[in-house]
Amino acid sequence: MPQHLIRKLERFTRLSYEDKGALNEAASRKVRHFAAHQDIVREGDRPEHVNLILDGWACRYKTLEDGRRQIISFFLPGDLCDPHIFVLREMDHSIGTITQVRLAEISRDSILDLTERHPRITRALWWEMLVTAAVQREWTVNIGQRAGLERVGHLLCELFIRLRSVGLTEGDSCLLPITQVDLGEATGLTNVHVNRVLQELRGNGLIILKGRQLTIPDLEALQRVSLFSANYLHLDHEGRHLDANGSVQPPT
């Protein structure tokens, strides 16, 4: 069961058993495994299916001719790598793994069938695409206007909250398998600058980093320092309280 995706989509609308069954069937037809630091799809490839991240972390990136890389977004468990990517003639970016990744390849026909036969899934996917666009806008602001400490802190807040929304945090801690180089490529900072920022965040008691584990003792404090507002993630959409028939669920 692609439980992380279902949990994300149900923030928008409550899915029926039939909806969940259709998603499960589509996500189980072809499951692939990738090692860390491996391309899932390369710029110039012809996209023929949608990739759903089941386990592990990946990223969307662009590479300049001289080898410099810009990470454009991170993919976490439950993320679809663009639900309608197959309408493009060729990829204009690459998607690569950060950790080992298990993903489902969902065919063009399966996506079309889901959207034609399951209107609640269709509405939820519209919402998901709008949130993805909102995240991309926020990343542009992050690189263009925020200072170094604010950029890194903002990204850590976003990743933690996204992981929490699909049940992948434990209290104030979460897995953070990205390196300082990855952080630099996502925030437009040098490795030296990223190291200095992390030391400052640690020194101020805003984060604890132990290996691949991130702890944020006071999320509100980190949000204030990073000028972070979670509004662009649209976690409080009113539709999450609706059942599969559109009626309001009683409180539990």
Side-chain angles (χ1 to χ4, degrees):
M1 177 72 73
Q3 70 272 18
H4 300 308
L5 173 64
I6 289 173
R7 185 163 180 167
K8 283 180 61 178
L9 297 183
E10 286 206 303
R11 296 207 307 265
F12 177 75
T13 186
R14 193 61 59 103
L15 301 176
S16 68
Y17 288 114
E18 291 77 12
D19 295 330
K20 295 176 185 178
L23 285 169
N24 184 48
E25 182 181 357
S28 61
R29 289 173 183 157
K30 187 173 183 180
V31 176
R32 299 184 63 192
H33 295 78
F34 290 83
H37 312 301
Q38 182 178 355
D39 280 333
I40 297 171
V41 61
R42 294 184 178 91
E43 184 171 356
D45 288 351
R46 182 178 181 84
E48 298 178 349
H49 53 260
V50 175
N51 293 303
L52 165 62
I53 305 297
L54 300 173
D55 294 300
W57 286 45
C59 67
R60 189 197 320 268
Y61 71 90
K62 295 275 290 185
T63 304
L64 299 181
E65 294 172 352
D66 61 4
R68 285 176 292 167
R69 186 174 80 153
Q70 178 72 44
I71 291 178
I72 305 167
S73 59
F74 288 111
F75 292 114
L76 311 178
D79 285 343
L80 285 162
C81 305
D82 304 311
H84 303 299
I85 192 68
F86 51 78
V87 302
L88 299 179
R89 294 181 63 88
E90 66 176 45
M91 293 290 292
D92 56 25
H93 62 273
S94 301
I95 297 173
T97 62
I98 293 173
T99 66
Q100 292 183 2
V101 164
R102 183 170 65 94
L103 61 79
E105 288 187 354
I106 305 178
S107 69
R108 175 182 183 276
D109 289 342
S110 293
I111 289 290
L112 292 176
D113 182 68
L114 285 172
T115 55
E116 289 173 0
R117 296 176 56 192
H118 299 271
R120 285 179 294 272
I121 292 177
T122 302
R123 290 195 297 269
L125 289 177
W126 288 346
W127 168 81
E128 169 68 10
M129 291 173 66
L130 290 172
V131 171
T132 299
V135 171
Q136 207 66 67
R137 289 191 292 271
E138 195 67 25
W139 276 48
T140 301
V141 174
N142 207 35
I143 293 177
Q145 294 298 323
R146 292 188 178 96
L149 185 141
E150 295 165 350
R151 292 187 204 181
V152 175
H154 194 281
L155 179 56
L156 295 179
C157 287
E158 178 191 298
L159 292 173
F160 181 85
I161 290 172
R162 286 173 59 193
L163 289 168
R164 187 175 64 183
S165 72
V166 293
L168 291 174
T169 57
E170 294 185 8
D172 56 6
S173 298
C174 68
L175 180 70
L176 187 74
I178 55 179
T179 66
Q180 290 186 18
V181 173
D182 296 329
L183 281 172
E185 291 178 345
T187 57
L189 302 173
T190 66
N191 190 35
V192 172
H193 197 164
V194 170
N195 183 270
R196 186 162 57 244
V197 164
L198 292 176
Q199 293 297 334
E200 185 174 352
L201 290 170
R202 283 194 186 102
N204 291 333
L206 293 169
I207 65 169
I208 300 169
L209 280 174
K210 291 185 178 179
R212 293 156 56 96
Q213 191 83 2
L214 168 68
T215 300
I216 304 177
D218 187 341
L219 181 58
E220 289 186 2
L222 183 59
Q223 288 175 317
R224 286 194 301 271
V225 168
S226 307
L227 307 180
F228 181 91
S229 170
N231 65 337
Y232 69 99
L233 297 174
H234 300 282
L235 300 175
D236 58 349
H237 196 287
E238 60 183 7
R240 71 176 187 218
H241 300 301
L242 302 179
D243 66 17
N245 297 311
S247 59
V248 177
Q249 289 272 4
T252 57

